[in-house]
Amino acid sequence: MSHKLKLSYAVIGVAAMLSSCQMQGKKDAATADSAVTYAKGTYGYDLDFLKKNDSVLVLKNEDGLAQIIVSAKYQGKVFTSTADGLKGRSFGWINYKTFAADTDSHMNAYGSEDRLWLGPEGGKFSLFFKPGTKMEFPYWHTPKAFDTEAWKVVSSDAKMVSLTKDMDLLNYAGTQLKIKVGRDIAILNNATIETDLGIKLTPETKAVGFKTDNSLTNAGTTEWTQTTGAPCMWNLDMFTPSPKVVIIIPYNNAKTAKIATTDYFGQIQADRISYKNNVLYFKADGKSRGKLGITPKRAMPVIGSYDAENNVLTIAKFDVDNNGLYLNQEWRTDRKPLSGDAVNSYNDGPLANGSQMGPFYEIESVSPAAFLKPGGKLQHQHKVFHFMGDKAALNTIAQKVLGVTLADVESVFK
């Protein structure tokens, strides 16, 4: 054997040994990663928890820091997100105890940062009450199609998932509604976030954003009218409160319409709401149950919240039709069925018996009523963004998108 041949074999041997070491190193790293225990409140903790209950879909940006968790088993929910990887803050509220509990006939509150429900909840065309029943809690039931049943994954990749669900629902008016729901969920990169919101992110700002493109099709043979009733799409985003969370709701100057409905679950206390310069502020500390809504004429296509305790700015942006017909969702039939709100917000709190589901708070958007002929389709887009980091940078985003300073937000309920 020549000297050169011996040298070649030696080089190959060393390369093989290095490759083997590298492979072992990766295995050791993977084992170490799987052994990591994440603190409650982190994205890693929630991802580990959800993996024990479902084969979830994780969507990531190129750097791996911005991630979201999507579940087909749990009705196409975006359970939570992070802007800072596995050890970063988990933004969505998850109700851990529900996963191990028996199925509840009224509602199974798994939580989630964004879920798609169909409405209306109450009113003459309600999907939650059978015809002729009283609109009281014992008779209120969330349809299984978007409460407990799994949805079908049509396609998925590292950044997007497409889901669908066929539904057959009876409304309060006695109309059987055959519905096909579609839901495309995608994580957004920083360039898209900047374009969508008209902002510029600083290097110190950590961000995550995702969009949901939702569609509702009349899959039956009967037209949906103001006599038969019609459904609507309803995006609900659940987040963890703190003593210093304030919801920020810009509204426009349409003087012909009231600004807000503030008595969904009894009148909200006056010291929890403030109206200043075309912005409604709503205290969201998870300590007092109340829901409000902004009427379509007054609604803007954006809502936000700022958690001053954790320095988190959250924004939701969505479709609004200021001239659209929106369904009344109140648990009553004595108000016009097309007098509903386009934007909603909810602060959780104890019930009369002292029990409480959360605490959490919600920001919500609603589509107009889907008055569709057979085969007709209505679409509704809803996006969610979170920002952490330099407070001055967050302040600039709040001013640009919501028209407020963080100082305005922090001082409003002092």
Side-chain angles (χ1 to χ4, degrees), residues 118-367:
L118 300 190
E121 184 175 359
K124 293 180 180 179
F125 303 134
S126 170
L127 299 178
F128 291 69
F129 293 92
K130 291 182 179 179
T133 58
K134 293 182 179 180
M135 291 199 175
E136 298 173 355
F137 182 77
Y139 309 101
W140 176 82
H141 300 280
T142 307
K144 293 179 180 179
F146 51 88
D147 182 44
T148 56
E149 293 178 1
W151 291 25
K152 180 182 177 182
V153 175
V154 178
S155 62
S156 67
D157 58 32
K159 294 186 178 181
M160 194 187 91
V161 57
S162 180
L163 305 110
T164 188
K165 179 67 176 176
D166 293 322
M167 305 183 186
D168 197 342
L169 308 177
L170 179 69
N171 72 12
Y172 196 77
T175 303
Q176 202 74 38
L177 303 169
K178 290 188 178 295
I179 303 166
K180 186 177 185 66
V181 172
R183 185 158 156 87
D184 296 337
I185 301 166
I187 192 164
L188 306 174
N189 60 30
N190 282 358
T192 303
I193 292 172
E194 290 178 331
T195 301
D196 280 353
L197 297 180
I199 62 172
K200 187 67 178 176
L201 294 172
T202 66
E204 298 79 24
T205 305
K206 295 174 181 177
V208 61
F210 64 87
K211 69 172 181 175
T212 68
D213 288 305
N214 309 285
S215 65
L216 188 157
T217 301
N218 182 345
T221 57
T222 304
E223 182 177 356
W224 299 338
T225 68
Q226 294 188 29
T227 301
T228 65
C232 65
M233 288 172 282
W234 184 10
N235 282 81
L236 302 99
D237 306 333
M238 306 176 83
F239 306 113
T240 303
S242 83
K244 295 183 179 180
V245 172
V246 176
I247 296 168
I248 307 150
I249 314 175
Y251 58 86
N252 66 38
N253 270 323
K255 303 295 185 184
T256 57
K258 70 175 182 177
I259 298 170
T261 305
T262 57
D263 61 350
Y264 276 90
F265 301 127
Q267 185 61 48
I268 297 171
Q269 297 170 17
D271 62 354
R272 290 182 161 272
I273 298 179
S274 178
Y275 302 84
K276 292 183 180 180
N277 301 321
N278 282 20
V279 176
L280 188 159
Y281 298 92
F282 182 27
K283 192 171 185 179
D285 55 3
K287 295 181 179 179
S288 178
R289 186 170 183 259
K291 179 178 176 177
L292 58 80
I294 307 296
T295 55
K297 294 291 185 186
R298 292 280 198 166
M300 302 285 283
V302 67
I303 184 173
S305 68
Y306 180 61
D307 181 351
E309 186 168 284
N310 297 291
N311 193 38
V312 176
L313 177 65
T314 296
I315 293 170
K317 186 178 180 183
F318 38 79
D319 295 333
V320 167
D321 183 351
N322 294 121
N323 297 309
L325 298 175
Y326 285 78
L327 293 155
N328 191 313
Q329 305 222 47
E330 297 172 277
W331 288 18
R332 56 196 300 168
T333 58
D334 59 345
R335 289 186 179 170
K336 294 179 180 179
L338 297 176
S339 61
D341 296 320
V343 181
N344 292 100
S345 184
Y346 173 79
N347 182 51
D348 193 38
L351 298 171
N353 63 6
S355 65
Q356 186 170 358
M357 182 188 296
F360 60 88
Y361 71 96
E362 289 180 323
I363 54 181
E364 312 167 7
S365 74
V366 186
S367 79

Side-chain angles (χ1 to χ4, degrees), residues 46-57:
D46 285 343
L47 179 59
D48 286 346
F49 174 84
L50 291 167
K51 281 182 174 179
K52 293 174 183 176
N53 293 276
D54 184 19
S55 55
V56 293
L57 297 159

